[in-house]
Amino acid sequence: MADIQRFAAFTDDPKGGNPAGVVLDAGGLSDEQMLAIAAEVGYSETAFRITAEGDRHRVRYFSPLAEVPFCGHATVATAVALGPGEHVFQTNAGDVPVRVDDAGRATLTSVAAKVADLGEADLGALLSALRWNDFDLDESLPPKVAYAGAHHPILAAARRSRLAELDYDVPALKSLMESRGWTTVQLVFRAADDTFDVRNPFPVGGVYEDPATGAAAAAFGGYLREMWIAPEDATLLLRQGDDMGRPSRITVELVPGEPGVRVSGNAVPINHS
């Protein structure tokens, strides 16, 4: 029987952040068993460590409905469960180095970030599923699809209340995301030059919304760099989960010459009876 640990990531409060399941002894589990465990745990993702050689760990991530190539918050949770030091996670998206300091704060470095255009037809379908329109968009942050281990369309809201009013067509958005290979939708509002409020619908994982999304945070950092919206050496704060009552704080760091994006946050155990 697998030993399932539970952590809240990107917070220092078990009642905040994004809960993640962590299974460190998953070597004998089949794909079907891992999916079943993820569904039973019920969090947006559960991480499974398949093998370990020194500081290298083969890790896979399952939502309640499907495997995902990379998950930031479950990476942070798993790294904190492993303890302080330097770790390398071998994910379906590539190698992800993770450093955990003595205070239990983890910093991952994503695979190389990429940005692609979001076609007009896809943008129209996305806006329709979200029940948004063109007037809801912040023209200074153009819609794109960003990648740093998983694909996320990025839409920027012109007003903070547009995020607070999130109410999307679940079947329509799920179908669109599945057909395009999108993991979550990164909805953002620029509160300051270095601070963004974000929300992440995740219907393809069987979850209405993620309270903290490290993979999307990395992708968004790559987007800001690629679009020359943030400097090459920026440190950014993403505030997520507030509208859900699970406040999360994600630090995104851009390092000159580094193709990946660094994402940092705390993780704390969740007591489960």
Side-chain angles (χ1 to χ4, degrees), residues 144-174:
K144 296 286 182 179
V145 178
Y147 172 89
H151 291 92
H152 310 266
I154 294 173
L155 295 184
R159 52 191 174 89
R160 177 63 179 85
S161 59
R162 177 71 273 188
L163 291 191
E165 298 161 356
L166 181 64
D167 176 26
Y168 65 88
D169 183 331
V170 174
L173 186 59
K174 182 174 183 286

Side-chain angles (χ1 to χ4, degrees), residues 128-159:
S128 176
L130 290 168
R131 301 189 175 105
W132 287 25
N133 59 53
D134 291 338
F135 298 105
D136 290 316
L137 298 176
D138 180 349
E139 295 181 353
S140 70
L141 296 168
K144 296 286 182 179
V145 178
Y147 172 89
H151 291 92
H152 310 266
I154 294 173
L155 295 184
R159 52 191 174 89

Side-chain angles (χ1 to χ4, degrees), residues 97-114:
V98 193
R99 182 181 71 254
V100 181
D101 65 21
D102 291 336
R105 183 174 179 83
T107 299
L108 67 86
T109 301
S110 76
V111 299
K114 303 174 185 177

Side-chain angles (χ1 to χ4, degrees), residues 14-33:
K15 296 180 181 179
N18 196 358
V22 176
V23 178
L24 297 180
D25 57 345
L29 298 176
S30 67
D31 290 10
E32 293 76 14
Q33 287 173 318

